[in-house]
Amino acid sequence: MAQRCLKCLKYTMCLANFLCFVCGVAVLCFGVYMMVHMSPLTPTLAKYNLANLLVISGIVITCVSFLGFLGALKENRCLLLTFFLLLFLLMLVELTVACLLLMFEKELGIWVEEDLNKGLAEAKGKMGNSTDAMSEWDLLQNNLDCCGVQNVTDWGDNVPKSCCKDKCDVAKPPYKNDGCLVKMKTFFEENFLTTGISVIVLCVVEVLGMCFAMTLFCHISRSGLGYKL
């Protein structure tokens, strides 16, 4: 009975890690696509934009899940132990980042505001005499229903079409009232609970993965099967 349970645990780990590997490859490909076809919204956030984060996340997910899959399939104690340690380190990093975000929430808001202002200034410089802003700002302003950092006056005389509420082909088109900074803060506040629950669920999954890996590791050590360290 115990052997059947351990075999079930082994193949469950293989299946779960295989699915994680496929998801990691998909995230990596999507991140590369965004990196090629989209430029960063702000100058300082260029190194930390969504495309780069997706690429890094995809690489980490594929590497860790591959170790877990191969370690469980081959009953390799070295790979299982490496998988356990990597999951433990990832969980520590996630919890550390979450704590830092809570501790430095105000400082982060100020930094994002300054960086958005720099990004908007660069966008205005690229506009020239055109009324079309950078596509990234158009996307942000359309999705969040906002205009500028604080309001429409941030754009000066060259207001992009994405700031208009309805049509821009009239003499004095009605512009969106709220700035993107306020909308972004509201968006993060509204999704704070969802983000917190997601982090907790992710940590629970990682703890389960560590328990499964250590259970197999101990079984292989006691039975003398599988590859040695």
Side-chain angles (χ1 to χ4, degrees):
M1 184 65 182
Q3 292 294 330
R4 291 181 180 178
C5 291
L6 286 169
K7 281 187 177 181
C8 180
L9 179 61
K10 169 184 173 179
Y11 291 116
T12 301
M13 271 195 68
C14 289
L15 179 61
N17 281 287
F18 177 75
L19 293 176
C20 289
F21 180 82
V22 173
C23 292
V25 172
V27 170
L28 177 61
C29 294
F30 185 61
V32 172
Y33 173 81
M34 289 187 64
M35 189 178 292
V36 172
H37 291 87
M38 294 185 67
S39 58
L41 183 65
T42 60
T44 306
L45 290 176
K47 299 179 181 178
Y48 312 102
N49 64 350
L50 183 60
N52 292 335
L53 292 176
L54 287 175
V55 170
I56 295 172
S57 300
I59 293 173
V60 171
I61 293 171
T62 51
C63 292
V64 174
S65 58
F66 179 76
L67 284 176
F69 173 81
L70 195 61
L73 184 65
K74 297 294 185 180
E75 295 185 358
N76 190 311
R77 289 190 294 167
C78 182
L79 292 178
L80 286 173
L81 185 60
T82 305
F83 176 70
F84 174 87
L85 293 175
L86 286 176
L87 280 183
F88 182 71
L89 289 175
L90 283 175
M91 188 174 66
L92 287 182
V93 170
E94 291 163 7
L95 294 176
T96 302
V97 171
C99 292
L100 290 176
L101 289 176
L102 289 175
M103 291 172 59
F104 300 100
E105 182 180 358
K106 293 183 179 179
E107 290 80 357
L108 182 64
I110 295 173
W111 177 67
V112 171
E113 181 179 1
E114 293 176 352
D115 211 52
L116 282 174
N117 285 322
K118 291 179 183 178
L120 188 138
E122 286 193 359
K124 289 169 64 177
K126 293 179 180 179
M127 285 170 63
N129 296 324
S130 174
T131 57
D132 294 327
M134 293 172 58
S135 59
E136 288 76 20
W137 275 97
D138 290 331
L139 181 64
L140 178 69
Q141 292 177 153
N142 285 327
N143 289 339
L144 295 182
D145 193 26
C146 60
C147 181
V149 179
Q150 301 294 340
N151 49 51
V152 66
T153 58
D154 295 332
W155 287 106
D157 296 330
N158 293 327
V159 180
K161 294 180 180 179
S162 56
C163 279
C164 300
K165 286 184 177 181
D166 297 315
K167 297 181 179 180
C168 281
D169 54 356
V170 295
K172 291 184 178 181
Y175 295 120
K176 299 169 184 176
N177 299 322
D178 298 324
C180 292
L181 181 63
V182 176
K183 287 285 189 176
M184 288 175 68
K185 288 182 178 179
T186 304
F187 175 80
F188 285 117
E189 288 173 358
E190 290 176 349
N191 292 275
F192 181 79
L193 180 60
T194 305
T195 305
I197 294 174
S198 301
V199 172
I200 293 173
V201 171
L202 183 59
C203 289
V204 170
V205 171
E206 289 171 346
V207 170
L208 289 175
M210 289 189 291
C211 292
F212 290 168
M214 191 52 60
T215 301
L216 283 175
F217 177 85
C218 294
H219 167 69
I220 295 169
S221 300
R222 287 197 303 267
S223 62
L225 300 174
Y227 294 99
K228 306 291 185 181
L229 281 171

